[in-house]
Amino acid sequence: MRTIAQVGKKGRLGPIVPLVPFTGGGALRTSQAVAGLGDLLERAEPLAALEHYFADVVMSSAGRFVFIGGEAGVGKTSLVRGFCANQSVRILSGACDALATPRPLGPLLDISHTTGGDLEAMIVRGGGRPYEVADVFLDQLRSGPPCVVILEDVHWADDATLDVIRLLARKVESAPVLVVGTYRDDQMDRTHPLRVLIGDVATSPAVARLYLAPLSAAAVADLAAPYGLDAAELYRNTGGNPFFVTEVLATGGDTLPATVQDAVLARVARLGPVAQRLVEMVAIIPTGVDISILEAMDDEAVAGIEECLASGVLAPIPGGVTFRHELARLAVEISMSPARCVSLHRAALTALSDPKRGPIDPTSLSHHAEAAADIEAVLRFAPQAAAVATQARAHREAAAQYARALRFGWGLTDEQRAELLSLRSSECFLTGHYADAIDSRREALATYRLLGDRLREGDALRMMSSNLRCSGLVAEATEAGLAAVAVLETLTPGHELAMAYANRAMLALNIEDTTATLEWGAKAQELAARIDDRETLVHAMNTIGTAGYLIGDDDGRRALERSLHLCKEWGFVEQAGRAYIHLAWASVRVHDYARAEAYQREGDEYCLERGLDAWRLEILAHQARRLLDQGQWDEATEVTSTILRSGTGNAVAQTLALCIVALLRARRGDPDHQGPLTRAQAIAAPTGELQHLLPTATASAEIAWLEGGAQAADVTRAATDQAMKLAMRYGAVPAVGELAAWRRRCGVQDLMPTLSTAPYALELSGDTAGAATAWTELGCQYEGAITLCAGGLEANYRRALAIFQALDARPAAAIAAQLLREGGARSVPRGPRTSTKQNAGGLTTREVEVLGMVSEDMTNREIAGRLHLSEKTVDHHVAAILAKLGVSNRRQAAKAVAPVSVGVEDGRQH
């Protein structure tokens, strides 16, 4: 019999045993449903897909990553087992834990026990960042022959593991490996980190998704036939879930349990008392149990192992046992009395905390300590587990561990509690959970005040200021920033005061008050130099440089780049992420698009690899604005979807993403552009910051221009007045020009502003042709076409119409056509009409166009040439089409949705 190489004592894919139904999903086509190896029912296509993907890997030495999703018990594990049983290559397997707070890098730790080498050394030693772990793992995979890596239950993955998975998915083509990740899609809401991750990597041609549906009524009838059961009733009660079906049948078919819990417990009930005790012991340790641990917990119960294995309730793993399916473990766990659970968790805590039995795992011990209601153990192990998670950049798990300790905090001193609250706040801030960060910081601040600790009070106020500002609560942030300086200036000057000055500079930067930014930044730099405070030095340098870059000062840009270099050299990861945010922001503001693309690409990768989720989403928001400006609307749509799907609390990212969604809908003539714009305005209005108010003001003005009518000027004036006053007050030159141009386009009569930059300066001076040329040179054809609409020349209107039609900007095209007609032009070109065929795949306009060419057997290179796109962009479009249609290759895509024809209104072209 073939075996799967077991990786790690906790991996769920141990040596292959007969695929009995209790393995959890994937019903077997055999009249002896609980005995022997059979063919998986209704799984031929996904099994063939896995075989195909791996064959491609072997042929090309280029890796693939496949996500397999489906509800709990649908057969993901059985499918993977069936696939692996037919392979004669090395199989590496690791599983994510079902702990409330999982082990950082758990599945990679499992795998490292088999691979050994640098991967094991890095993970066991600790301190390896996700991008380092991913690089080391890929290096080991590159050096060997083709192999398969199985990552089970990645919906339970910790932050660090998710970062490694994201990087593996992006770089998998560099190694001859098929990576398979299984997950439960019924336990993931739209903001679940894994759902966001899959969306992020969906456009990669090396990434594929398979979905396992429940069994059909016919398949359930096939399985039920030997038992004489009512197949229709069985199907109704189980919903076709293979695990539920086979568990019911495994009871002998004499009764029909109402739930899978009844089915599992019916099987457990057949065991002897000693074996039942053993099953309960295994049930409270989600990752499987070593025999030595079971002996320490209850040495008499270990005698029941053979009975449990023979019955199929438990399965062997190297050195221990585990449940064949998580649902079965849960069924047993929730059936136990609270007293029995507490007793078992206490026994597990004692056994697992004994250093004689191996390395101490604070994550598991923290889990058992809480379940055992052991206050001392929770306060000992939860902070340790949090520190491990922080080191691995698993910030979400670190925050959860600190929260666990705080739930048992009645045994803490006030000072200890305040410290845990501060640490939790910092971890929540790093993941963009600003409300939780603010709540924890407020509690810490109150405690420091109670203790009379002025230094920590002032520092907490400074960090509170940053938390509040990122959440869009600017007035409160300013108040906290002022209070921090007031408290700290009464004490001996040190790092805390220097950072408080730097925070004041940052607050001034965010309202774009260049004078105040420079003043506070200089104070921060002077004190930082005096006390040799490198962190404050780079923080202030970053802020001052950004202020300059925002008004087009090249020296400012160079200072900002210098701060980034020093952050990397000195190891200030969060400060480097902040520098990338500011480079991404300012470069778009001053239309420095070539640099913007590089900054955004580098910043995205840097923050992704280091777990800076909130930082990355803000960079993506500026990237989306650049893509919008440069006519890459489909790409902008994908980026904004990632931002909004994440549920981020970052106010800047939300404002920009919502404005872009509103503009894209308005430009294409799609419905409900007002909804996202209203939401963006609600976030922006209270901030008083130009970086919030400018995008909402200009979006409102553009929509007013597109809708036209007598009220356009009044709507635009009301929408832009506040932003214009701020921009004029603080000398935000590029913002003044943009606002003035939109006000003029919409009929608002203003004096000619003295502050402006090209191309807006050219337009405002009356040189519309020059402005249009400048926009075109920047790659902003839509903006150039809008400028041409103000030129008063038929040739300009025709150029504008052609550009709008090429972009499928229907409302703007209608404006250009109307201007032509009003000028007496004849034979106004008609643009493409909306297809009368339904786009069942939910594809964008560009994707429908690409799909039509795919159906003509055109290569990506040929499509790129036809559409004047880069081949890489077409690669992304094709990958997105496959993902949206749920297919694995181009031929299936062409068959899944008939291409939507796009013709002209007279019907001569199709």
Side-chain angles (χ1 to χ4, degrees), residues 459-488:
D459 204 37
L461 281 165
R462 188 263 303 175
M463 290 184 281
M464 171 73 81
S465 175
S466 182
N467 296 163
L468 289 164
R469 199 213 65 77
C470 289
S471 193
L473 303 172
V474 176
E476 295 92 329
T478 301
E479 182 181 350
L482 287 167
V485 171
V487 169
L488 293 169

Side-chain angles (χ1 to χ4, degrees), residues 319-670:
V321 291
T322 190
F323 277 85
R324 292 189 179 277
H325 198 284
E326 174 63 13
L327 288 178
R329 186 195 69 77
L330 287 173
V332 174
E333 184 180 33
I334 65 177
S335 72
M336 291 187 287
S337 70
R340 176 62 171 158
C341 281
V342 169
S343 174
L344 288 173
H345 280 290
R346 286 176 178 169
L349 181 63
T350 300
L352 292 167
S353 61
D354 185 350
K356 296 178 182 177
R357 293 187 173 85
I360 299 297
D361 178 8
T363 304
S364 295
L365 290 170
S366 172
H367 167 78
H368 292 297
E370 180 176 33
D374 188 326
I375 299 173
E376 182 181 349
V378 169
L379 296 181
R380 175 186 173 192
F381 293 117
Q384 290 181 21
V388 170
T390 298
Q391 191 174 40
R393 299 278 170 186
H395 300 297
R396 188 176 289 103
E397 283 66 39
Q401 292 288 2
Y402 286 128
R404 172 179 279 162
L406 288 163
R407 287 197 295 273
F408 289 76
W410 55 84
L412 296 168
T413 66
D414 287 342
E415 187 171 5
Q416 289 171 329
R417 180 174 175 79
E419 179 66 15
L420 288 176
L421 285 164
S422 297
L423 290 167
R424 178 173 186 260
S425 178
S426 296
E427 296 299 324
C428 291
F429 179 68
L430 290 171
T431 60
H433 290 80
Y434 298 123
D436 291 336
I438 291 168
D439 289 344
S440 293
R441 192 72 68 186
R442 284 192 200 280
E443 286 192 61
L445 176 60
T447 304
Y448 289 135
R449 283 174 172 160
L450 183 67
L451 292 169
D453 189 333
R454 298 284 282 169
L455 182 65
R456 290 185 178 177
E457 176 190 347
D459 204 37
L461 281 165
R462 188 263 303 175
M463 290 184 281
M464 171 73 81
S465 175
S466 182
N467 296 163
L468 289 164
R469 199 213 65 77
C470 289
S471 193
L473 303 172
V474 176
E476 295 92 329
T478 301
E479 182 181 350
L482 287 167
V485 171
V487 169
L488 293 169
E489 282 188 333
T490 66
L491 307 174
T492 302
H495 168 74
E496 292 81 6
L497 178 59
M499 283 299 291
Y501 288 154
N503 180 65
R504 288 298 310 278
M506 181 179 72
L507 290 168
L509 170 68
N510 285 305
I511 61 171
E512 301 189 38
D513 183 345
T514 303
T515 301
T517 300
L518 297 178
E519 289 176 356
W520 285 107
K523 292 190 72 166
Q525 285 185 319
E526 185 276 326
L527 179 53
R530 182 150 42 98
I531 63 176
D532 192 23
D533 181 355
R534 289 183 169 185
E535 183 179 9
T536 301
L537 184 67
V538 294
H539 190 290
M541 184 185 299
N542 175 323
T543 302
I544 291 170
T546 305
Y549 196 9
L550 280 170
I551 58 175
D553 180 3
D554 220 35
D555 288 338
R557 175 184 60 79
R558 283 189 284 268
L560 182 49
E561 288 181 338
R562 174 65 176 160
S563 77
L564 174 61
H565 172 77
L566 290 175
C567 286
K568 290 181 175 180
E569 181 180 334
W570 293 340
F572 297 122
V573 174
E574 287 80 10
Q575 296 295 344
R578 179 172 174 265
Y580 272 122
I581 288 174
H582 288 169
L583 287 165
W585 168 31
S587 57
V588 173
R589 172 71 67 81
V590 300
H591 313 303
D592 191 359
Y593 294 114
R595 287 194 177 95
E597 182 175 6
Y599 294 147
Q600 291 159 3
R601 182 179 62 254
E602 293 171 13
D604 178 22
E605 196 72 24
Y606 184 89
C607 294
L608 174 67
E609 291 180 345
R610 289 156 181 82
L612 301 178
D613 295 349
W615 280 247
R616 177 175 179 253
L617 289 168
E618 192 164 339
I619 290 169
L620 288 179
H622 296 301
Q623 180 187 53
R625 180 69 217 197
R626 173 182 62 80
L627 293 167
L628 177 78
D629 290 352
Q630 297 198 293
Q632 299 177 62
W633 294 357
D634 291 342
E635 291 83 351
T637 299
E638 292 168 6
V639 175
T640 55
S641 295
T642 296
I643 295 167
L644 298 175
R645 196 169 53 235
S646 73
T648 179
N650 185 295
V652 172
Q654 284 188 313
T655 299
L656 284 172
L658 289 167
C659 284
I660 291 166
V661 170
L663 284 172
L664 285 167
R665 291 179 181 177
R667 289 180 181 185
R668 286 169 163 160
D670 294 336

